[in-house]
Amino acid sequence: MLATGLEGVVAAETAIATVGQESLGLRYRGYSVVDLAEGASFEEVAYLLVHGELPGRQALEAYRERLAALRPLPEALYAILRLLPADAHPMDVLRTGCSALGTLEPEGAGRDQYAIADRLVAALPTMLLAWHHAGRSWVPHAEPSGLAHSFLLALHEREPDPLSVRMLDASLILYAEHELNASTFAARVTTSTLSDFYSAVCSAIGALRGPLHGGANEEAMRLIERFPDPDSAERGISEMLRCRERIMGFGHRIYKHGDPRSPLMKSWSHRLAEASGDRVLFPVSERIEALMWREKGLHTNLDFYSASAYRLAGIPTPLFTPLFVLSRITGWAAHIIEQRAHNRLIRPSAAYVGPEPRAFVPIEQRG
Ligand code: COA
């Protein structure tokens, strides 16, 4: 039977995450994502995903120091980033930066897959921020702080408020891994040909960029921002639904009864809205959520409340999907390593629906 979009097809075994099919809820290597988002830091989760177990105190400290040391880029990469157009989409910048790093520090020659995974976890944020700040290098914080803190510090060039840091840390944890989503599958397909680590990550970044996947958080923000108040949101979204338009940040291939990550992001968005005195973004978002449930029976996914939470933390919209990359690189790395350990070429088949067999006519006789 044809499974369009590969819906329901079990295409791999994985020990990395469950997304609910086995009544286990969303778990990373057995740990509930809610517990991780509430009690762990992004670096602990990155280590868990890439290296297989939660780190102890010393291992975590060593990991943070290693990442801090791996943040600066080779001068040639800063030069490449400086050449990219200022109006390029930062997802294209990350895809290009990842590819360029693969030429400067190729896999092999003393660089194993774990070293490349750590390098990309550390260096992708530097690429994004260096490009954002017009090619300036990102000097790592003397005390190796977590990605959420260093990112906001480098983005705004001032000490970030603790609530925004905690929100971003939780969000990076929630975005880190999600089984065979489209970008992870793209990474596994490329890996299955025995290609290199960087090529697999470039495939994944390309897949994540689309609005049906990671690009949804940016599109959700652009939508929410259109409305000055909940009533106009109600009118605008109703009209979009009448025209059969898709509302980004709603629906999910796996979660038909709600995305377990979404309530966590909603609560962060709510807390940031209260702290900043926001009277528009959060109420508009809630009204859209109620309308979508009433009219379409659709729930929010992680991307919907990430949008307002990121905006309330002062993050520019074009950086939303790139932030997803800075987190999901950990899940991609885990899957690339797992695919290699049990590799078989991924090569499905298609049902042919083209023309009947016909005779070739040489160009001279075709008219
Ligand atoms: N807005 C409006 N309608 C939606 C919708 C949305 N966000 N998501 C799904 N639907 C509708 C579809 O139009 C379709 O209705 P129809 O049968 O009347 O045509 C039905 O729900 C099923 O949608 P389908 O696209 O087949 O489901 P899927 O499992 O293939 O798609 C998504 C999953 C995520 C691609 C889809 O829900 C979507 O496009 N969401 C918006 C993008 C987004 O937020 N992506 C991030 C995912 S984490």
Side-chain angles (χ1 to χ4, degrees):
M1 204 184 65
L2 188 64
T4 49
L6 297 183
E7 181 165 8
V9 173
V10 178
E13 286 188 327
T14 185
I16 304 168
T18 53
V19 291
Q21 284 108 323
E22 301 85 4
S23 315
L24 297 171
L26 176 55
R27 285 171 186 271
Y28 298 167
R29 298 201 186 274
Y31 296 103
S32 149
V33 77
V34 177
D35 292 346
L36 292 171
E38 286 175 354
S41 64
F42 170 67
E43 283 66 30
E44 287 169 80
V45 171
Y47 190 97
L48 169 71
L49 290 170
V50 178
H51 299 279
E53 290 294 341
L54 280 172
R57 236 176 243 282
Q58 275 191 351
L60 179 62
E61 206 176 305
Y63 184 55
R64 283 175 187 275
E65 276 168 15
R66 187 155 78 247
L67 293 182
L70 288 169
R71 290 215 193 283
L73 307 178
E75 195 39 54
L77 186 43
Y78 287 120
I80 290 168
L81 294 172
R82 276 192 282 270
L83 289 175
L84 300 179
D87 61 354
H89 193 286
M91 286 296 280
D92 299 343
V93 172
L94 286 180
R95 196 191 57 230
T96 305
C98 176
S99 187
L101 192 64
T103 69
L104 297 165
E105 299 176 3
E107 189 167 14
R111 235 173 254 113
D112 73 6
Q113 54 184 356
Y114 290 97
I116 295 175
D118 289 349
R119 177 64 159 148
L120 285 171
V121 171
L124 284 166
T126 318
M127 292 178 204
L128 183 62
L129 287 158
W131 175 80
H132 182 75
H133 288 310
R136 263 191 287 147
S137 52
W138 179 18
V139 182
H141 207 48
E143 288 284 312
S145 60
L147 175 60
H149 177 263
S150 341
F151 182 87
L152 290 173
L153 177 67
L155 178 67
H156 296 131
E157 302 188 280
R158 60 168 189 274
E159 188 57 34
D161 76 273
L163 199 60
S164 297
V165 173
R166 276 163 50 217
M167 176 282 293
L168 186 57
D169 204 34
S171 149
L172 292 169
I173 292 170
L174 295 174
Y175 269 132
E177 160 58 11
H178 214 220
E179 198 224 45
L180 284 199
N181 57 88
S183 59
T184 300
F185 190 60
R188 287 188 82 130
V189 169
T190 301
T191 303
S192 83
T193 70
L194 302 184
S195 187
D196 72 301
F197 207 100
Y198 296 94
S199 297
V201 174
C202 286
S203 304
I205 295 173
L208 189 73
R209 188 189 195 294
L212 293 190
H213 191 8
N217 53 14
E218 294 183 23
E219 294 305 323
M221 190 67 247
R222 292 190 183 102
L223 181 70
I224 295 163
E225 271 178 333
R226 275 197 232 162
F227 306 115
D229 56 62
D231 287 346
S232 54
E234 177 119 13
R235 284 193 298 275
I237 300 291
S238 300
E239 179 59 16
M240 287 176 76
L241 290 179
R242 207 181 54 75
C243 300
R244 301 188 64 78
E245 283 184 54
R246 257 169 212 252
I247 311 301
M248 297 303 162
F250 286 87
H252 200 278
R253 172 63 63 79
I254 303 286
Y255 303 125
K256 300 303 180 196
H257 304 291
D259 181 335
R261 304 165 297 178
S262 189
L264 295 169
M265 257 350 266
K266 180 175 180 177
S267 105
W268 279 112
S269 174
H270 190 204
R271 287 162 77 175
L272 283 166
E274 290 211 316
S276 66
D278 163 67
R279 297 273 177 275
V280 178
L281 285 180
F282 190 75
V284 161
S285 302
E286 273 202 308
R287 183 70 73 86
I288 298 175
E289 180 186 11
L291 179 78
M292 287 298 286
W293 172 244
R294 200 173 67 235
E295 297 296 321
K296 299 284 292 183
L298 286 172
H299 296 275
T300 54
N301 56 50
L302 173 61
D303 289 315
F304 189 69
Y305 280 103
S306 300
S308 47
Y310 281 8
R311 170 50 36 82
L312 290 164
I315 300 169
T317 306
L319 301 189
F320 288 10
T321 316
L323 268 166
F324 195 156
V325 173
L326 307 192
S327 155
R328 186 57 62 85
I329 177 61
T330 58
W332 293 334
H335 279 272
I336 293 167
I337 292 166
E338 184 174 69
Q339 179 69 33
R340 286 174 166 183
H342 309 279
N343 190 53
R344 186 158 187 235
L345 178 73
I346 297 174
R347 200 295 187 196
S349 301
Y352 180 70
V353 294
E356 291 296 312
R358 44 188 170 163
F360 169 73
V361 180
I363 186 76
E364 305 77 39
Q365 295 167 30
R366 255 180 267 159

